[in-house]
Amino acid sequence: MASNFAARANQALMQSSPKWRLVVWLLLMLSASLWTLQLWQNGARVQSDILAMLPHLQQDKLTERALNQVEATLADQVYIALVAKNETTAIAAAKLLMQTLEDDLVARGKQGALTDIRSADIQLGEELGQFYFPHRFKLLTAPQAEALASQNIESLIEAATAQLYNAFSYANSNLLAQDPLLLFPANLLALAPSSKVRASQGILLANQGDNVAAVVMAKGRESAFNPNAQLAQMMALTQGLDAVKQSYPDITVLKAGALFHALAATQTAKSEISILGLASLLGVIALVWLAFRSVMPLLLAIVTISSGLLLAVTFTLSVFGELHLLTLVFGTSLIGIAIDYSFHFYCERLSDTERSAKATVAYIFPTVTLAFITSALAYVGIGLAPFPGMQQVAIFCAAGLLGAYLTLILAYPLLAGSRLPAGSRPLALAGTYLACLIQLSKRFTTPLGMGMFALVIVVWCLGGVTKLTVDDDIRHLQQSPASVTEPENQLRQLLSGGTDNQFLLVRAPSEEALLQQLERVSPMLDTAITNQELGNYVSLSRYLPSHRKQDTAYRLQGEIYQTQIDTVLTSLGLDENLKPELQAAYLAAKTEYITPAAFFTLGAGKQLAPLWLAPNEANWPVSNGALNDDEASAEHGADQGADYGADYGAIILLGGIQQIDTLKARFAHDESVQLIDKVADISAVMGHYRLLTLKLLALALGIALLLFSLNFGFKKAAVVVAVPALAALLTLATLGLTGSPLSLFHALALILVFGIGIDYSLFFASAQNHGKAVMMAVFMSACSTLLAFGLLAFSQTQAIHYFGLTLSLGIGFTFLLSPLILTTTLALTTNQLLTTKKS
């Protein structure tokens, strides 16, 4: 059936005019060019956001919203530490940097790259004091609560007396008149988490050995992964840091934030695209020139590659609306594959110089078509992975192959009409190599030879595959250089470990239940810090006590204002006339509570608002401190009418995680607390799809066997499929022997080993005239593919390195094994003839 279809299609091609084919091809390329230009003008762009390549996790609505909140809060933050020998210099340098950045923001207005420029907020404590003071009867520290619960009011009186006689006390007559035991100041201090940092003159300071570091923070107006935003933000930072260096040349600068990782990734990708792509292109050009010694094959090779790249870009932009930089890095390998069709065409022309270009295209059409289909299906297999970036690679490369295939079928009959110089030497070399292989393979046809060959393969495969390890860590997708990670790690240490990507999501059916859950979780995290499992955490429980906790504090303070008020006033030497006012204030506070809605109107509350997840729009915090006003309004509007379920949720940020597994175990059986580790979740998804991809490879081998059986018969089809299958197995074994861990990127590369390697098998299975032309074409194809993928193995991005290394090994093994198909084919033909004669 398949052969009849190919025959009819081939006959239709032979009857069509080469001129009309060329016209159709030109119209197709022109249309693709115009459509691509239109897409660029309508907003298509190059994407460098590494997060855009990650798989989409299936999460419940509250978890998904929590992930979005954390990413929105942390993703575009920039941290700069200015390290000086003394505090005065550090503060002056920080103020200069902040002033330079603010001047740039004022000058550029809404075009300013960095917003929310800040360090320490000296007004924050004052604002919190004003907010919490009316609720002082509902607040108690743990020691205060313990003293009142045990009716040990004397200890509180002693503490208040000590404060009265302390020269640095915060006590004054106004405070004593409203809080005689001076309980409130201790509660206000308890709001500030323990930290290595301190504030002076509005600047956040931390000690680094004998030096002092001043920390300045800012937020990018746009995503740090937007190439244009990267340039604008770096320009603003460079201008500010240059001003600092000019005034304080001894200052050391530490930088942290997604901006610097994104910039490194962009620079690496652009460098690899230019270097690897150019090297691959030059290698292919040199290969064509050495083989054919003619300008026309070179020109047509460039035309083939260009048309493939044009359709690749067109299809990718049409489907996704953007083109990822890593897609372009992977796409450089397309050069080495798309040129294969040109190689097969010209090698067949060398083998029969009397044959016209049109006849040559018709001669190779059935095999090239089958090869294109199998390679395209291999790329479709890559597209089944849950990575938008890998789906782009699949579309990009499959469309690129289509462009090269159509160029061969439509343009070559007319454009490649000129005769080639004598090509007997390349063909002779290919024939000699093939003859040596066939002679060598005959030694394996004996029982002893076949046994030895099988033993070597089995030992190799078993020895390597059993040593294979797996590593699905998503962080291998992009690894930043030490120049980015080392300063960031130093700055994180200054900030008490900073904030990690993992966080806790606490959920409850009501606001009060959620606050109580947060109060239950905090002591568990304190224990984790004591056990050095965790460095620090940020929880709303510090700022928002539950109604139950507030009622308990209120009841305990009744011991002061209702039972022991006379003793308190006498012991502290205060006027007894304060008693009615204090008791009246105490009674009036009974129904007044600290609420999330009120807290989120504060400056500090706005900064912490992203940690609170209300189930509907009515309970949404007034403003999101992680966003500027325009962004907050936009996000607020986008969330209107959204269904977030019935649960309330709160995020607890974690920092300085040392033992993530132990921390997970603490909450493993707690349904209301979930440790969100997106990196681990995505890595688990990668592991799942790694197994699925290997199963897909086995399925593809089975489908190919059935498909080729229609053309070649079962025995010959089995040999054709066995070559890429054995090549894939040998590749896995070699990876195991060399200690390279197996990941999804290895598995995806094996799909392409099958898709590309099957082409070699098909051409040898269809070879005539002893296969010299096929051998030369396969040699050139393998060289070009190894050039492309071998260069990818030198990529600094580990995922691309794995991809290129696996393909290089797989294609190398396929090249060595595929010529043996000729020997097997001859043996099968001989057996058929002998069987026929006996019949």
Side-chain angles (χ1 to χ4, degrees):
M1 184 183 298
S3 58
N4 291 336
F5 174 78
R8 287 195 297 270
N10 201 5
Q11 185 178 4
L13 281 173
M14 286 296 293
Q15 292 174 354
S16 61
S17 166
K19 290 183 179 179
W20 279 110
R21 287 199 219 176
L22 182 62
V23 169
V24 171
W25 178 80
L26 288 173
L27 289 174
L28 179 64
M29 294 300 118
L30 179 62
S31 300
S33 301
L34 293 175
W35 177 244
T36 303
L37 183 62
Q38 180 71 21
L39 290 173
W40 283 118
Q41 291 178 342
N42 289 342
R45 62 196 179 104
V46 174
Q47 172 66 270
S48 65
D49 186 352
I50 200 68
L51 299 176
M53 287 197 74
L54 300 183
H56 301 297
L57 297 175
Q58 297 298 320
Q59 304 278 11
D60 64 84
K61 291 178 180 178
L62 191 64
T63 303
E64 184 178 356
R65 184 178 170 199
L67 283 166
N68 292 336
Q69 287 284 83
V70 172
E71 287 177 5
T73 303
L74 302 178
D76 301 322
Q77 294 289 336
V78 175
Y79 303 87
I80 305 292
L82 303 173
V83 184
K85 293 181 179 179
N86 57 72
E87 184 173 307
T88 303
T89 305
I91 291 174
K95 287 184 176 180
L96 176 58
L97 176 59
M98 293 174 66
Q99 187 60 53
T100 306
L101 294 178
E102 286 169 357
D103 289 345
D104 179 76
L105 181 61
V106 171
R108 296 177 181 271
K110 289 192 175 183
Q111 301 301 317
L114 296 171
T115 65
D116 194 19
I117 302 154
R118 65 198 186 281
S119 187
D121 190 347
I122 56 177
Q123 297 179 341
L124 186 61
E126 201 175 306
E127 184 184 41
L128 288 175
Q130 292 175 355
F131 174 74
Y132 284 107
F133 189 74
H135 303 285
R136 61 192 177 279
F137 301 107
K138 299 288 183 71
L139 295 172
L140 284 175
T141 64
Q144 291 170 352
E146 185 179 350
L148 289 173
S150 60
Q151 296 184 345
N152 184 17
I153 198 168
E154 290 79 9
S155 63
L156 297 179
I157 293 174
E158 290 175 5
T161 303
Q163 287 296 322
L164 288 173
Y165 293 101
N166 188 337
F168 300 100
S169 172
Y170 33 70
N172 56 57
S173 58
N174 186 44
L175 179 60
L176 283 168
Q178 300 179 76
D179 181 21
L181 286 178
L182 300 176
L183 301 180
F184 179 70
N187 283 278
L188 191 60
L189 288 174
L191 295 176
S194 58
S195 175
K196 300 176 184 177
V197 298
R198 63 186 189 280
S200 177
Q201 300 181 42
I203 300 298
L204 201 62
L205 299 174
N207 292 329
Q208 188 188 49
D210 295 332
N211 298 324
V212 178
V215 181
V216 175
M217 294 163 281
K219 179 177 175 61
R221 189 182 293 277
E222 296 182 63
S223 171
F225 296 100
N226 181 319
N228 293 329
Q230 285 176 16
L231 293 176
Q233 290 173 28
M234 281 306 300
M235 187 179 298
L237 280 175
T238 302
Q239 181 180 346
L241 292 173
D242 285 346
V244 170
K245 279 288 187 180
Q246 189 172 358
S247 300
Y248 307 97
D250 294 332
I251 286 284
T252 300
V253 179
L254 301 177
K255 295 180 285 189
L259 170 64
F260 308 107
H261 293 275
L263 190 66
T266 302
Q267 291 173 344
T268 299
K270 287 181 177 179
S271 173
E272 291 181 356
I273 289 168
S274 57
I275 294 174
L276 301 184
L278 181 61
S280 180
L281 183 61
L282 292 176
V284 167
I285 290 173
L287 197 62
V288 173
W289 176 257
L290 290 173
F292 305 119
R293 302 298 176 91
S294 174
V295 175
M296 185 52 70
L298 271 177
L299 294 177
L300 278 183
I302 294 173
V303 168
T304 304
I305 293 170
S306 300
S307 60
L309 291 175
L310 174 61
L311 283 195
V313 172
T314 302
F315 274 73
T316 306
L317 291 180
S318 298
V319 174
F320 297 98
E322 62 183 18
L323 192 60
H324 203 286
L325 276 175
L326 287 185
T327 300
L328 292 175
V329 175
F330 277 107
T332 58
S333 62
L334 181 63
I335 295 172
I337 305 171
I339 199 65
D340 288 0
Y341 301 142
S342 183
F343 290 158
H344 283 289
F345 171 84
Y346 276 109
C347 288
E348 287 298 336
R349 287 212 69 191
L350 278 179
S351 68
D352 187 354
T353 55
E354 300 301 320
R355 186 189 291 150
S356 67
K358 181 180 178 181
T360 303
V361 170
Y363 176 74
I364 65 174
F365 173 78
T367 308
V368 168
T369 301
L370 197 55
F372 163 69
I373 292 172
T374 53
S375 296
L377 287 175
Y379 279 117
V380 170
I382 286 182
L384 295 178
F387 293 82
M390 297 311 296
Q391 291 165 358
Q392 277 198 24
V393 170
I395 295 292
F396 187 92
C397 292
L401 281 183
L402 176 63
Y405 172 77
L406 291 176
T407 302
L408 172 70
I409 302 302
L410 300 176
Y412 274 51
L414 187 63
L415 297 181
S418 59
R419 288 183 174 275
L420 289 174
S424 56
R425 180 168 175 76
L427 284 174
L429 290 174
T432 302
Y433 173 77
L434 190 59
C436 291
L437 275 183
I438 292 174
Q439 191 65 32
L440 181 64
S441 66
K442 287 180 180 178
R443 297 182 182 181
F444 297 120
T445 57
T446 63
L448 179 61
M450 291 181 65
M452 291 295 294
F453 180 75
L455 180 63
V456 171
I457 295 296
V458 169
V459 170
W460 188 347
C461 291
L462 284 178
V465 172
T466 53
K467 289 185 177 181
L468 267 179
T469 58
V470 297
D471 186 357
D472 299 306
D473 196 334
I474 189 62
R475 284 169 289 198
H476 292 161
L477 193 63
Q478 179 64 52
Q479 291 180 316
S480 298
S483 59
V484 173
T485 57
E486 288 179 2
E488 181 171 272
N489 290 335
Q490 293 181 46
L491 206 157
R492 285 172 64 88
Q493 291 303 314
L494 290 177
L495 298 176
S496 304
T499 302
D500 292 320
N501 293 320
Q502 299 89 349
F503 62 90
L504 290 179
L505 174 61
V506 183
R507 63 181 74 211
S510 68
E511 184 174 284
E512 172 63 13
L514 179 59
L515 293 174
Q516 291 181 22
Q517 289 282 21
L518 289 174
E519 290 168 354
R520 180 179 63 84
V521 170
S522 290
M524 300 171 69
L525 293 176
D526 291 333
T527 303
I529 292 175
T530 303
N531 295 341
Q532 297 184 340
E533 301 166 17
L534 183 68
N536 59 81
Y537 67 93
V538 178
S539 174
L540 287 170
S541 64
R542 190 183 300 275
Y543 304 93
L544 293 173
S546 65
H547 282 200
R548 183 177 65 181
K549 187 175 182 179
Q550 293 181 63
D551 285 339
T552 300
Y554 183 82
R555 177 177 55 79
L556 289 174
Q557 289 200 50
E559 179 73 12
I560 302 171
Y561 296 105
Q562 292 183 323
T563 307
Q564 301 285 346
I565 185 62
D566 293 326
T567 303
V568 169
L569 294 176
T570 302
S571 300
L572 295 173
L574 298 177
D575 189 350
E576 293 184 0
N577 293 329
L578 293 175
K579 177 179 177 179
E581 294 180 11
L582 287 170
Q583 289 183 327
Y586 172 79
L587 293 173
K590 183 176 183 178
T591 58
E592 298 296 324
Y593 290 94
I594 300 167
T595 64
F599 175 73
F600 291 134
T601 61
L602 303 176
K606 291 176 182 178
Q607 293 179 17
L608 295 170
L611 305 184
W612 183 260
L613 305 172
N616 53 56
E617 187 67 22
N619 291 313
W620 181 253
V622 173
S623 180
N624 187 331
L627 308 173
N628 60 42
D629 293 339
D630 293 338
E631 290 169 321
S633 299
E635 181 162 314
H636 182 85
D639 285 334
Q640 285 185 349
D643 178 15
Y644 295 122
D647 280 352
Y648 281 77
I651 296 166
I652 300 178
L653 297 178
L654 306 175
I657 297 175
Q658 301 296 324
Q659 301 176 41
I660 184 69
D661 293 334
T662 308
L663 201 58
K664 283 182 178 178
R666 287 186 177 276
F667 305 101
H669 305 292
D670 193 335
E671 295 182 357
S672 62
V673 183
Q674 180 183 2
L675 197 152
I676 307 295
D677 186 354
K678 188 174 182 180
V679 171
D681 292 342
I682 294 175
S683 297
V685 171
M686 286 183 67
H688 169 73
Y689 277 91
R690 170 178 46 78
L691 292 173
L692 185 62
T693 302
L694 292 175
K695 292 177 182 177
L696 178 66
L697 176 60
L699 178 63
L701 289 169
I703 293 174
L705 179 61
L706 293 175
L707 181 64
F708 297 156
S709 296
L710 300 176
N711 264 0
F712 305 119
F714 180 78
K715 290 182 178 179
K716 193 172 181 180
V719 174
V720 171
V721 174
V723 168
L726 184 57
L729 194 59
L730 289 170
T731 300
L732 287 174
T734 305
L735 291 173
L737 291 172
T738 56
S740 180
L742 186 64
S743 70
L744 175 60
F745 300 101
H746 293 93
L748 293 173
L750 288 176
I751 290 283
L752 285 191
V753 168
F754 162 73
I756 299 169
I758 205 75
D759 291 0
Y760 302 165
S761 299
L762 283 172
F763 278 104
F764 274 114
S766 306
Q768 298 179 12
N769 302 323
H770 305 291
K772 288 192 292 185
V774 173
M775 186 68 250
M776 180 180 171
V778 167
F779 171 76
M780 295 183 68
S781 298
C783 286
S784 64
T785 304
L786 287 172
L787 265 175
F789 292 117
L791 290 172
L792 287 184
F794 291 100
S795 172
Q796 297 179 35
T797 304
Q798 203 163 7
I800 299 177
H801 163 75
Y802 285 159
F803 196 84
L805 176 64
T806 306
L807 267 163
S808 298
L809 290 171
I811 296 303
F813 285 126
T814 306
F815 170 74
L816 293 174
L817 294 172
S818 56
L820 300 180
I821 292 177
L822 280 177
T823 307
T824 309
T825 301
L826 289 173
L828 289 173
T829 304
T830 302
N831 289 336
Q832 288 176 356
L833 290 173
L834 290 175
T835 304
T836 303
K837 286 183 179 180
K838 288 181 181 179
S839 302

